[in-house]
Amino acid sequence: MSLQQIVGIKGYIQTTYLAVYPDKLLLLDAGCRADVDTILSYITDTLQRPIHQLKTVVVTHMHPDHAGGAAILRQKTGCQIITSAKATTWYKGLSGRKQHLKDLALTYYVASRRAKPLINQWYNPVVSADVIAEEGDRVVGFEDWVILQTPGHTSCDISLWHPDTKQAYTGDLVLKINNKLLSPLVIHFPDLYKASLSKVQNLALDTLILAHDGKVAIGAADFDQLIAKVPDQPRDMKLLDVLGIKWPRGVGKVVKRLGASL
């Protein structure tokens, strides 16, 4: 059965998208831990569907606002989790656990800027995937969606391409802030990020679906501008200190005590 609509569900610091079919649902990223009840309420109250119709959650990368709700959603609905092989090891080891804390801290920073309460967003940094996605794979059970490897923001980013409607969900590949299209603050692998932008540009899509924030029409010139501004060196959260940005009370101290370099 064909795709009926893609709806955006406002989350803690991002928008999570639900692909709606007559008898099943596909979630494009899992949102934060705090978003689980919002997502399930949307299914039961707005769509008036049983939660077991949520068959699949695709996790594009391991950051809190994309992977934080995955395990709880699977526990509550029985859905399968699909992600890339590299996502399962992104936070591996001591350096990975420090990075996990940094990413949680950044989540709280964004929440504080949006006047959101600093509620528990902890989630397991090791995802247990039911399906490992490779380049060009069709999403199991939703074969009208194609998996694209789009690393750069992290090593494990994937995107979802829907050729029938010429739409792509790209996670954090592109952001929209104050009506401007921007690259994410954190770019671990600049060369890979440029290549990923070029890959999506070559799809000749009509609509880009953004986690931050909304759906946008985007053209080749927009991609060219984004690519031209990609830094030559990796860009991480040290930039926050350079800009004089203050972390929410207590968060920065916890991260620094554990050896993170902010």
Side-chain angles (χ1 to χ4, degrees):
M1 294 186 180
S2 61
L3 175 67
Q4 293 180 315
Q5 60 178 327
I6 301 172
V7 296
I9 303 171
K10 289 291 185 181
Y12 187 60
I13 62 169
Q14 82 299 322
T15 300
T16 301
Y17 295 91
L18 192 65
V20 180
Y21 293 76
D23 61 345
K24 58 187 179 181
L25 303 167
L26 167 67
L27 195 63
L28 312 181
D29 271 329
C32 292
R33 175 189 179 123
D35 298 327
V36 169
D37 287 344
T38 302
I39 292 167
L40 295 180
S41 293
Y42 188 91
I43 293 171
T44 57
D45 298 343
T46 303
L47 296 181
Q48 296 188 334
R49 302 278 195 94
I51 60 172
H52 66 75
Q53 285 195 358
L54 179 61
K55 301 298 184 182
T56 299
V57 176
V58 179
V59 174
T60 63
H61 62 290
M62 283 302 297
H63 285 165
D65 52 332
H66 299 265
I72 302 173
L73 284 165
R74 179 168 56 190
Q75 181 182 17
K76 289 180 177 289
T77 70
C79 67
Q80 64 177 354
I81 297 174
I82 298 177
T83 193
S84 71
K86 289 186 177 180
T88 63
T89 59
W90 176 245
Y91 290 132
K92 184 179 180 180
L94 181 58
S95 62
R97 297 309 171 91
K98 289 179 179 179
Q99 185 64 51
H100 185 229
L101 291 169
K102 283 185 178 183
D103 294 338
L104 282 165
L106 183 57
T107 298
Y108 284 123
Y109 164 70
V110 175
S112 71
R113 291 294 298 269
R114 298 185 179 188
K116 295 291 185 70
L118 302 184
I119 55 180
N120 180 21
Q121 300 299 344
W122 178 262
Y123 64 106
N124 193 331
V126 180
V127 65
S128 174
D130 299 292
V131 178
I132 297 297
E134 303 288 348
E135 175 74 17
D137 283 354
R138 299 277 175 163
V139 176
V140 178
F142 298 87
E143 283 75 15
D144 46 334
W145 290 91
V146 181
I147 300 289
L148 303 175
Q149 301 282 355
T150 52
H153 177 48
T154 72
S155 67
C156 56
D157 298 78
I158 57 176
S159 295
L160 290 154
W161 166 230
H162 195 260
D164 294 347
T165 58
K166 295 186 177 181
Q167 297 181 84
Y169 172 70
T170 55
D172 284 351
L173 186 72
V174 179
L175 313 182
K176 186 177 74 172
I177 300 175
N178 295 327
N179 292 319
K180 293 182 180 180
L181 296 178
L182 302 170
S183 61
L185 171 65
V186 175
I187 300 177
H188 287 280
F189 307 99
D191 290 342
L192 292 178
Y193 180 73
K194 290 179 185 178
S196 295
L197 286 172
S198 295
K199 179 186 288 188
V200 176
Q201 180 181 25
N202 290 335
L203 295 175
L205 48 77
D206 289 337
T207 304
L208 198 63
I209 305 171
L210 310 178
H212 308 273
D213 199 13
K215 301 179 182 180
V216 297
I218 188 169
D222 297 308
F223 281 107
D224 288 341
Q225 289 179 11
L226 287 166
I227 291 169
K229 294 180 180 179
V230 176
D232 294 328
Q233 301 298 319
R235 187 171 69 197
D236 61 22
M237 288 190 294
K238 291 178 182 178
L239 179 62
L240 294 176
D241 280 345
V242 172
L243 296 175
I245 291 173
K246 295 182 178 179
W247 295 93
R249 181 176 297 176
V251 173
K253 290 182 180 179
V254 170
V255 176
K256 288 179 180 178
R257 279 203 304 268
L258 291 168
S261 176
L262 296 177

